[in-house]
Amino acid sequence: MSLDLDADKRRLFLVTAEDKPDALMRVLGVASVQQVRLRALTAQPEGADIAIRLEIDDQGDDRAHTLAARLAAVPAVRGVGHGWR
């Protein structure tokens, strides 16, 4: 039996945004347009901001960099970090 370890690879995106009523929906809208497969999501307030943690299936470095750039372009977003889970 062969295990496909790449099938379980996931990317983690950490997004800090202004804690506005539509901030989470804007971030999720970008993920939807980019057609990522969301595997886990957490969001919690941190002072005047909201910390959003998105865990998605890996679709390669180019797709990850594109998603990070598009997330960073959302008006309410203050910062984006990403890496492996």
Side-chain angles (χ1 to χ4, degrees), residues 65-79:
H65 292 297
T66 299
L67 178 58
R70 295 212 171 149
L71 288 169
V74 173
V77 171
R78 297 179 190 245

Side-chain angles (χ1 to χ4, degrees), residues 39-53:
R39 295 302 182 184
L41 167 70
T42 59
Q44 60 187 27
E46 286 188 356
D49 295 331
I50 185 169
I52 304 166
R53 182 182 188 272

Side-chain angles (χ1 to χ4, degrees), residues 56-75:
I56 65 169
D57 282 349
D58 181 37
Q59 295 178 318
D61 289 341
D62 290 341
R63 293 286 307 258
H65 292 297
T66 299
L67 178 58
R70 295 212 171 149
L71 288 169
V74 173

Side-chain angles (χ1 to χ4, degrees), residues 7 9-13 28 30-41 54-59 63 67:
K9 279 188 175 179
R10 294 191 182 168
R11 298 271 180 160
L12 177 64
F13 288 80
L28 291 177
V30 170
S32 176
V33 167
Q34 292 298 299
Q35 298 182 351
V36 300
R37 182 160 294 182
L38 187 62
R39 295 302 182 184
L41 167 70
L54 303 167
E55 191 174 306
I56 65 169
D57 282 349
D58 181 37
Q59 295 178 318
R63 293 286 307 258
L67 178 58

